[in-house]
Amino acid sequence: MFPEIDRVLIGRETIARRVRELGASLASDLRRDIEGGGASAGDGDRVVIIPIMSGAMVFGADLIRELPLKLRLELVAVSSYPGRSLESKGAAIRSELPRTLGGRHVVIVDDILDSGQTIAMVRRLVEEQAPVSVRACVLLRKDVPRAVSEAEGARAEYVGFDIPDEFVVGYGLDYDGYYRNYPEIATLRREALA
Ligand code: IMP
Ligand code: MG
């Protein structure tokens, strides 16, 4: 069905187990923040999860179901790997962020932290609205020198897996728009990368 897939790096069960662990630690950290946040935060309606489309669609869908908290979901679309490119071309926002993040606990969710430009840009836009807390949660983090520093926002507080600098697809990640529905994290055959 997917003849272009070369090698599976992270299988289904391993992903599922790690998503449950990430959800558990995120939920307990958020709960602690909400409870420590004083009376105004006590209503428990303070959490906003922002998955970055389209890459975080699959991860985000699984992750939010591991968060037994009252939360809102707000999608934001960013493109950084247009078409058949294998390298980040800088992040461009394609949809407005909601204007309602002030006073909230915000969690940015993405498929992968690569050059760091995407997370840094979204984090900056979120921070402009004076949220109570901002966290980033990524499924994958690539072992590459990053274009943007951690201090500039290119970091994730929650990381599923550290992976080597290889181009991967599946579980939401694409090449030229394809393979997002492949259920595992895998590499593509050389011939498939035009
Ligand atoms: P950054 O801004 O360079 O950190 O890029 C992050 C975005 O680039 C992610 O949200 C992905 O959509 C995309 N990306 C980075 N590495 C890969 C990869 O190996 N496969 C597919 N997409 C990737
Ligand atoms: Mg993406």
Side-chain angles (χ1 to χ4, degrees), residues 63-151:
L63 183 68
I64 59 172
R65 286 175 289 173
E66 299 298 332
L67 300 175
L69 299 169
K70 191 173 179 188
L71 59 81
R72 283 177 205 245
L73 192 63
E74 298 281 3
L75 307 179
V76 63
V78 172
S79 81
S80 55
Y81 269 42
R84 300 184 171 192
S85 53
L86 300 177
E87 263 173 35
S88 197
K89 300 274 191 284
I93 192 130
R94 310 226 155 235
S95 63
E96 290 283 301
L97 276 173
R99 302 305 308 170
T100 52
L101 305 178
R104 308 280 151 160
H105 297 282
V106 177
V107 182
I108 301 162
V109 178
D110 206 0
D111 50 0
I112 187 164
L113 180 76
D114 182 19
S115 75
Q117 296 175 88
T118 304
I119 295 281
M121 182 190 64
V122 175
R123 193 190 284 272
R124 198 165 54 240
L125 293 170
V126 168
E127 278 169 355
E128 282 172 4
Q129 296 189 39
V132 184
S133 68
V134 185
R135 299 173 158 86
C137 177
V138 297
L139 181 72
L140 307 173
R141 178 170 59 190
K142 252 191 214 179
D143 184 15
V144 289
R146 277 179 244 298
V148 190
S149 72
E150 291 202 4

